[in-house]
Amino acid sequence: MRRFPGVVFATAFLFLSTSFSNAVAWDEYWPGADYDPSIPTVENILGHESGEQITWHGEAIRYFEALAAAAPDRVAVFEYARTWEDRELIYVVITSPENMARIGEIKDGMQRLVDPRKTNRAAADAIIANQPAVTWLSYGVHGNEISSTDAAMMTAYHLLASRGDDTVDAILRDTVVVIDPMQNPDGRDRFIHHFEMSEGLEPSADLMSAEHNEPWPGGRTNHYLFDMNRDWFIMTQPETQGRVRVIQEWYPLAYVDAHEMGSDSTYYFSPEARPFNPHLAKDQTDSLELFGLTNAGLFDRFGIDYFTREQFDAFYPGYGASWPSYYGGIAMTFEQASARGLKVRQYDGNIMMYRDTVRNHFLTSLGTAQTVAQNRKKLLDDFYNYQVTAIEEGSRERTRSYIIPVQTDQAGADKMAGLLVQQGVEVERATAPFKACGNSYAAGSYTINLAQPRKRMIRTLLDTSVPIAEDWLAEQERRRAKKIRDQIYDVTAWSLPLMMNVRTDACGRAVSADSVPAGPELVQPGSVSGGAGKVAYLVPWGTASAVRFAANGLRQGLSIKSSDLAFTHNGTRYPSGTLILDVADNPADIAATVAQLAASTGADVVAVDNSWVTDGPNFGSNNVVRFSAPEVAILWDSPTASYSAGNTRFVIERQMDYPVTAVRVSTLARGDLSRYDVLIMPESREGYAGALGEEGVAKLKDWVSRGGVLISIGTANQWAADPNVDLLSIRREDAVVETDGDGDGKKNGGGSDAGGDEPLEPTVAGSIVSNDEEYKALILAEKGSPDSVAGVLVKANVDPDHWLGAGVASDLNVLVRGPDIYTPIRFDKGVNVAVFAQADELVASGYMWEENQKQMAYKPFAAVQPNGSGFVIAFTQDPNVRAYLDGLNVIFMNAIFRGAAHARPVR
Ligand SMILES: [Zn+2]
């Protein structure tokens, strides 16, 4: 709790004075430091010493503003974005007065070094001779990893207040230090709010105490419950978008993402663990040693434990410790064991104080800046060479260009191109038809030549797969055979064309076509062809743009119908799901409304003057349904998985423009469900059984039978498909157990120990084990889940005859994670609308255990089970993970809009 008798007044007084009388900072961070009293300490401004309290977002902003006021020649504060909850995101620039006076020139120097096509070697050498190196220190992307923001404040103070310190002088002279003190202020303040509510007479070191255990949702994530340390290349969140923009203004040579890990640990810094992403340059992975050695020296000096290399790899490119390295700098993660409060008792009885954790991040922050200062020229040379070799590789490797053709899901193609442009990739848009690698492409196709500085980023984001070192994979298989957990830290597949289901062709030659540079827009405005329609407006289905058109149209009260089947009108073929807006059923200004919606959502609309269909259903057919504006609820709070709940809500609300009511699971039992048309059950780790009970099951079954649409996502199906719940008749499978070597003696692992009424014998029959294989068979578990999969993109085929598949691509790429595999639904119970492909065609990208591949083939991804007047719709894997599986948007939104349109609620 705050203890501030009189301090508020003292702070106000001190803030007005130019010298801070009580200026000796708590100096255990750097014993013997001589600090300038004209620079305010944390205590001067906030009333607590560094590390004595967990500093709120607003307080930290106040402190950095005070530093800027005290030393305007050496500090500048910049706002780079706002969070969903309107907190400001800032970065703080600290350097010598001489460098500060030429900040524009320094940024310009990096802008020139990043492009060797404009800056030759001699020009680069001239820049490098006079160019400070930029160090970027980022803190607290996970809001409940608290120590780093306080370390950011102390780092800034130390750099500005130290006197007679050669290291600090060299850092200010030879580098620019950029501090992003809080990447996730919404999450941080959420943590502190809960923490301070739980505090008592004195801070508790007990990990059981309320202050060490956050309620749902913890402070790790941002407002929409995203892990922003996975969001870098997909930039779904405003916080990430701001960072991506400013990093390309500065091009830091070293980027640190400071985290915390579990309390029973020490400290982790680079070198990072294997596997390395093969698209990192060797200079980059080699330089990790430099930083590691400096930090190790500091930790040795203070007698602090640490570890390196065993954990936290840089294979996935969406981490803060990976993404910035695709510009040529060095990116690293640092991890401090968390106090998750003001003190904690570790497993060995050691009491770790919050200030210890702040001090450790402070030390590695200084160590990083020091390493950059000592290696200024080398790092700048490496940065320039990185661009040179990237261009050179892009002009001789097998893949020399990527082409994104004009396609059915043009909204997806436009968004992917825009995402790449926002990250600095040069993308062109053809203004005339062209040929490349034996194919003809229409005007409007996007082309990306790889002979450009971002070549390695392009390859890691667009290649179908990124290979993992064979020996490392062999080690994972060895571990798995012994049932030791694998060391794969995140997903093994993230190919943008697969995730967005956007056709993208690799070509072995550079493309030459008449073209203009593509812009950063994610949505290209749609248009209305055919003028003002006399009879109707048609919106072809199958894109996120069309879904947004429907969502906004329904919110504005428009009358919208949709054809479940494809049809032909006036010689044009319209896909199943196409929206039909009858002029007669809509307001008089429908033409203007449709034009405005087309422009804002990106949907292309066709105005028609008659209803005559030459093939397929007419507009008044029973195969055409009227959309309602469904009331959509999502289960919220414990025991839902916060990522799944938040990310799903985000997709519906912010990517598809439709509002969702978040309903706490605890409220569901006593509430009246009849007000909702659709209820979404996100994933849940603990499962829903305890929270919903038998009463909840009965209530949901009754609601579905009366016309409700229940959408069950990923692990929520463990509950819905449990025979004791039986909302779904699919069943979760055990691992297939191979009972003999040649593979044809398979049995399902389940249910083999039914003992009946026989009395149990005290002993079992003897056995002779004569080889390894027999031994392994003997110790196999009789029953158990398939092995867990880290994250693989897997193909699923879509049934075009069912309304859930209307307008959906014929095959989808699904991110499979975890061990769950379900039986297909039987004909008499429902329809398997999306089914995983056969085993040898299953994996689109990533590394999947062979047994899982075999067992997952032909199992359902999406199944619809009618029940009375409503439906239960199961997605056996989460289609909304990280809001980055755009290729699954249409089938998921079909579940909401078409599910509600096909249900026949009892009203
Ligand atoms: Zn973290």
Side-chain angles (χ1 to χ4, degrees):
M1 267 185 279
R2 310 269 131 177
R3 291 172 293 275
F4 339 70
V7 168
V8 174
F9 303 102
T11 303
F13 170 74
L14 284 165
F15 193 69
L16 292 170
S17 67
T18 51
S19 174
F20 295 90
S21 53
N22 178 25
V24 178
W26 185 70
D27 69 353
E28 283 184 41
Y29 291 133
W30 199 263
D34 174 25
Y35 288 133
D36 176 352
S38 73
I39 303 298
T41 64
V42 170
E43 188 179 18
N44 293 150
I45 303 303
L46 304 181
H48 65 258
E49 283 185 346
S50 176
E52 195 185 41
Q53 295 288 341
I54 306 163
T55 303
W56 290 85
H57 164 260
E59 292 180 319
I61 299 279
R62 199 145 52 85
Y63 181 65
F64 285 108
E65 284 172 350
L67 288 179
D73 60 335
R74 287 171 289 156
V75 200
V77 177
F78 298 90
E79 180 175 322
Y80 67 82
R82 290 259 165 178
T83 68
W84 288 111
E85 295 172 13
D86 205 30
R87 290 184 176 87
E88 64 264 54
L89 289 154
I90 61 162
Y91 70 87
V92 182
V93 175
I94 298 175
T95 189
S96 68
E98 296 73 29
N99 290 333
M100 190 61 89
R102 60 177 190 110
I103 276 299
E105 189 188 318
I106 291 167
K107 285 163 78 170
D108 186 57
M110 295 312 293
Q111 297 293 335
R112 290 163 64 199
L113 288 179
V114 82
D115 194 347
R117 293 165 303 182
K118 295 177 186 156
T119 309
N120 65 24
R121 175 75 60 177
D125 288 345
I127 294 166
I128 290 169
N130 196 29
Q131 176 79 8
V134 180
T135 303
W136 198 289
L137 305 171
S138 274
Y139 302 93
V141 70
H142 296 140
N144 61 358
E145 300 175 2
I146 41 188
S147 56
S148 63
T149 298
D150 286 281
M153 290 158 47
M154 196 58 203
T155 302
Y157 173 75
H158 184 81
L159 289 175
L160 292 164
S162 291
R163 293 191 292 202
D165 184 318
D166 292 346
T167 303
V168 169
D169 292 345
I171 290 170
L172 296 181
R173 183 186 65 233
D174 294 335
T175 77
V176 175
V177 177
V178 180
I179 289 175
D180 180 343
M182 275 159 297
Q183 299 179 74
N184 179 10
D186 290 354
R188 182 176 182 85
D189 279 7
R190 187 188 310 145
F191 175 88
I192 299 175
H193 178 70
H194 288 309
F195 174 75
E196 294 202 342
M197 279 170 62
S198 314
E199 283 188 288
L201 178 63
E202 58 181 34
S204 174
D206 182 354
L207 276 170
M208 289 276 285
S209 67
E211 60 203 71
H212 286 283
N213 290 279
E214 300 169 81
W216 193 103
R220 177 181 175 89
T221 50
N222 75 342
H223 176 80
Y224 272 105
L225 312 183
F226 277 71
D227 183 343
M228 291 191 289
N229 193 33
R230 303 293 185 275
D231 192 48
W232 281 90
F233 64 80
I234 201 75
M235 294 179 283
T236 63
Q237 301 305 298
E239 296 92 332
T240 318
Q241 289 159 13
R243 288 190 272 278
V244 164
R245 192 170 40 73
V246 292
I247 283 189
Q248 293 176 80
E249 289 178 21
W250 289 89
Y251 294 118
L253 300 180
Y255 183 99
V256 169
D257 207 33
H259 290 258
E260 287 185 348
M261 53 191 164
S263 299
D264 287 331
S265 189
T266 60
Y267 196 97
Y268 165 89
F269 49 72
S270 62
E272 285 165 328
R274 293 185 70 206
F276 286 103
N277 189 303
H279 297 294
L280 293 169
K282 186 168 180 303
D283 282 345
Q284 294 178 303
T285 48
D286 288 352
S287 290
L288 294 171
E289 299 265 340
L290 297 174
F291 292 90
L293 280 166
T294 311
N295 287 327
L298 282 171
F299 274 42
D300 286 348
R301 178 169 152 194
F302 290 93
I304 303 164
D305 276 342
Y306 66 89
F307 69 98
T308 65
R309 292 188 190 87
E310 289 167 81
Q311 226 187 325
F312 309 117
D313 66 69
F315 188 63
Y316 175 73
Y319 305 124
S322 315
W323 182 87
S325 56
Y326 291 92
Y327 295 92
I330 317 296
M332 295 168 280
T333 187
F334 295 166
E335 299 266 356
Q336 165 65 49
S338 185
R340 208 69 92 218
L342 291 176
K343 61 197 280 201
V344 67
R345 184 182 299 106
Q346 295 182 296
Y347 76 96
D348 59 357
N350 179 52
I351 301 290
M352 182 170 65
M353 302 299 291
Y354 181 58
R355 64 170 176 264
D356 299 334
T357 66
V358 174
R359 188 258 333 263
N360 293 350
H361 270 324
F362 160 77
L363 289 177
T364 54
S365 298
L366 278 189
T368 303
Q370 183 187 338
T371 309
V372 173
Q374 285 165 349
N375 296 278
R376 184 195 70 84
K377 182 166 182 317
K378 174 194 158 38
L379 293 172
L380 283 162
D381 281 337
D382 287 353
F383 178 83
Y384 180 74
N385 288 335
Y386 177 96
Q387 323 302 332
V388 172
T389 54
I391 295 168
E392 192 261 320
E393 288 172 12
S395 58
R396 69 167 159 81
E397 287 181 351
R398 253 181 58 182
T399 303
R400 291 184 55 190
S401 62
Y402 273 111
I403 303 161
I404 309 169
V406 172
Q407 52 199 286
T408 311
D409 184 3
Q410 189 57 30
D414 291 340
K415 180 174 172 184
M416 196 171 88
L419 279 171
L420 292 168
V421 172
Q422 288 185 14
Q423 294 173 82
V425 174
E426 293 164 12
V427 181
E428 292 281 315
R429 188 160 202 187
T431 51
F434 65 98
K435 284 199 167 68
C437 283
N439 294 321
S440 296
Y441 294 95
S445 300
Y446 294 101
T447 65
I448 304 164
N449 281 327
L450 272 85
Q452 61 168 295
R454 296 288 69 74
K455 173 255 166 184
R456 297 182 180 97
M457 175 187 278
I458 300 166
R459 289 290 305 272
T460 200
L461 295 183
L462 298 189
D463 280 10
T464 299
S465 59
V466 174
I468 310 178
E470 289 291 334
D471 64 320
W472 192 85
L473 284 177
E475 169 63 10
Q476 304 316 310
E477 290 287 4
R478 187 191 71 82
R479 293 173 69 97
R480 186 168 74 96
K482 294 186 71 176
K483 300 290 175 196
I484 305 172
R485 224 189 124 181
D486 70 67
Q487 298 163 305
I488 305 173
Y489 194 69
D490 202 81
V491 297
T492 60
W494 55 80
S495 169
L496 282 180
L498 291 175
M499 294 200 301
M500 302 181 78
N501 223 355
V502 168
R503 184 186 142 196
T504 306
D505 299 342
C507 176
R509 297 209 191 97
V511 177
S512 92
D514 293 337
S515 64
V516 292
E521 304 79 23
L522 300 184
V523 176
Q524 299 290 338
S527 61
V528 183
S529 60
K534 291 200 180 81
V535 170
Y537 294 90
L538 306 179
V539 185
W541 195 245
T543 66
S545 293
V547 175
R548 283 192 294 270
F549 186 102
N552 284 288
L554 292 171
R555 286 171 73 190
Q556 293 183 25
L558 299 186
S559 172
I560 300 178
K561 299 188 299 192
S562 172
S563 176
D564 285 340
L565 303 176
F567 61 89
T568 304
H569 180 280
N570 196 22
T572 301
R573 188 74 178 161
Y574 290 87
S576 57
T578 292
L579 304 179
I580 303 164
L581 285 80
D582 290 323
V583 170
D585 292 347
N586 276 295
D589 61 352
I590 184 69
T593 307
V594 164
Q596 178 269 317
L597 284 177
S600 65
T601 64
D604 285 319
V605 183
V606 182
V608 297
D609 292 340
N610 67 66
S611 63
W612 188 245
V613 164
T614 51
D615 182 49
N618 291 102
F619 299 169
S621 157
N622 281 342
N623 285 308
V624 174
V625 288
R626 188 171 298 283
F627 275 10
S628 62
E631 290 293 335
V632 180
I634 188 167
L635 290 186
W636 202 248
D637 206 337
S638 181
T640 71
S642 61
Y643 291 145
S644 179
N647 297 185
T648 300
R649 187 183 188 188
F650 174 84
V651 168
I652 304 168
E653 291 196 338
R654 301 292 179 170
Q655 293 186 324
M656 300 301 143
D657 297 346
Y658 202 76
V660 178
T661 305
V663 176
R664 295 186 202 284
V665 177
S666 57
T667 311
L668 187 78
R670 62 172 191 271
D672 173 11
L673 291 184
S674 67
R675 68 189 73 186
Y676 304 116
D677 300 294
V678 176
L679 177 66
I680 299 167
M681 296 188 83
E683 295 212 277
S684 172
R685 210 178 276 176
E686 300 99 298
Y688 287 104
L692 292 177
E694 284 178 24
E695 205 182 327
V697 176
K699 193 166 186 173
L700 282 170
K701 278 187 175 166
D702 179 61
W703 173 76
V704 171
S705 71
R706 288 165 177 272
V709 177
L710 182 68
I711 302 175
S712 162
I713 293 178
T715 53
N717 293 295
Q718 293 179 359
W719 175 81
D722 182 322
N724 298 307
V725 172
D726 204 30
L727 271 156
L728 278 165
S729 69
I730 62 172
R731 293 289 177 259
R732 186 154 56 107
E733 296 187 358
D734 287 317
V736 171
V737 178
E738 307 254 354
T739 53
D740 63 19
D742 60 16
D744 53 24
K746 289 175 194 144
K747 70 177 175 84
N748 197 289
S752 58
D753 54 358
D757 295 329
E758 298 291 315
L760 297 173
E761 296 292 335
T763 54
V764 299
S767 66
I768 291 171
V769 182
S770 49
N771 59 45
D772 282 357
E773 290 307 309
E774 287 178 13
Y775 172 67
K776 283 178 186 162
L778 202 64
I779 63 173
L780 264 185
E782 286 188 348
K783 179 173 158 65
S785 295
D787 286 331
S788 185
V789 174
V792 186
L793 287 164
V794 159
K795 291 234 169 285
N797 301 310
V798 176
D799 178 352
D801 292 325
H802 194 275
W803 50 259
L804 186 67
V808 175
S810 59
D811 49 49
L812 301 174
N813 300 304
V814 177
L815 184 70
V816 169
R817 300 190 301 176
D820 290 1
I821 298 173
Y822 289 86
T823 60
I825 199 164
R826 293 179 189 277
F827 269 132
D828 56 332
K829 300 286 191 189
V831 180
N832 302 289
V833 182
V835 176
F836 291 117
Q838 65 187 55
D840 59 349
E841 295 175 0
L842 185 72
V843 176
S845 178
Y847 189 76
M848 191 178 201
W849 316 122
E850 191 184 345
E851 292 82 350
N852 294 61
Q853 291 182 42
K854 286 185 188 164
Q855 193 174 341
M856 185 152 256
Y858 294 103
K859 304 294 164 59
F861 163 57
V864 179
Q865 180 165 344
N867 175 356
S869 302
F871 302 97
V872 180
I873 303 175
F875 291 98
T876 61
Q877 296 286 331
D878 188 343
N880 304 307
V881 178
R882 299 174 185 171
Y884 72 3
L885 299 172
D886 288 36
L888 303 180
N889 285 163
V890 176
I891 192 168
F892 181 69
M893 294 306 292
N894 273 350
I896 294 175
F897 288 135
R898 279 172 213 288
H902 278 269
R904 294 289 176 264
V906 183
R907 294 196 203 272

